[in-house]
Amino acid sequence: MSDLPSISRLLADEAATLDLGEAWSSRLNAPLVIYLEGDLGAGKTTLTRGILRGLGHRGPVKSPTYAIVESYPLKPFTLHHFDLYRFTTPEEWEDAGLDELFSANSVCLIEWPQQGGEFTPPADITATLTHDGDGRKCLLTAHTERGRESLPL
Ligand code: ADP
Ligand code: MG
């Protein structure tokens, strides 16, 4: 049994996922590493879209599946949104020079973090999205004190 601090939310539709991201965004401060777990189509990119919306980003939010990372310089910090789905080996982490994006001024959200093997920095929070009927369930689990302070209320 784990007694890590966690929060669970039922998300009936896409708007609810966006709303959770938007509500969560005001609790985020750099530096922070967030793993986004869940199958293809679980809503990881949608949640990120909601967070960016909450932080005032008004442009498009592309899935970084092909680019590996999309970066958004925002007022409070730079948000880096990674998707490691297409990695064939964890060494691609080094080839892409991703370490330098993890700084005191960055909040990093990582889809398919396990694809980076031991190169992926440890998470402050894991967001796990699962299908639940036509909707989704989102479980946020904090692994560090910084993560606990960043959970939505
Ligand atoms: P992932 O990044 O996990 O592969 P996406 O966020 O790209 O998933 O897409 C998930 C799909 O599910 C999108 O079509 C989105 O509109 C939809 N979706 C997101 N959240 C919900 C929800 N709470 N209920 C139903 N559909 C959702
Ligand atoms: Mg995605």
Side-chain angles (χ1 to χ4, degrees):
M1 266 300 281
S2 151
D3 57 359
L4 292 171
S6 67
I7 278 173
S8 175
R9 294 272 190 280
L10 286 175
L11 306 168
D13 52 21
E14 178 183 30
T17 305
L18 290 167
D19 285 350
L20 173 62
E22 204 163 334
W24 189 14
S25 68
S26 66
R27 305 277 300 164
L28 303 179
N29 288 295
L32 205 64
V33 176
I34 299 171
Y35 287 2
L36 301 172
E37 310 259 15
D39 293 343
L40 277 179
K44 304 178 294 295
T45 296
T46 305
L47 185 64
T48 305
R49 206 168 270 136
I51 290 170
L52 280 161
R53 185 184 285 183
L55 292 167
H57 175 74
R58 290 292 167 258
V61 175
K62 280 192 292 179
S63 173
T65 310
Y66 291 93
I68 298 174
V69 58
E70 298 282 347
S71 298
Y72 304 85
L74 304 163
K75 273 231 177 63
F77 48 71
T78 296
L79 188 150
H80 299 290
H81 178 203
F82 301 79
D83 186 339
L84 310 183
Y85 184 71
R86 295 178 63 82
F87 270 21
T88 51
T89 129
E91 278 68 33
E92 289 184 45
W93 181 280
E94 289 199 301
D95 299 342
L98 300 185
D99 268 339
E100 68 191 46
L101 300 179
F102 290 73
S103 76
N105 181 43
S106 64
V107 170
C108 294
L109 290 102
I110 313 173
E111 300 189 34
W112 303 99
Q114 66 276 18
Q115 293 277 93
E118 63 189 19
F119 294 105
T120 312
D124 294 294
I125 299 185
T126 301
T128 306
L129 286 142
T130 45
H131 282 76
D132 184 83
D134 290 339
R136 306 288 189 270
K137 198 173 111 177
C138 182
L139 177 68
L140 303 177
T141 306
H143 307 288
T144 66
E145 183 58 22
R146 285 194 65 75
R148 193 186 63 75
E149 289 166 359
S150 308
L151 289 174
L153 298 172

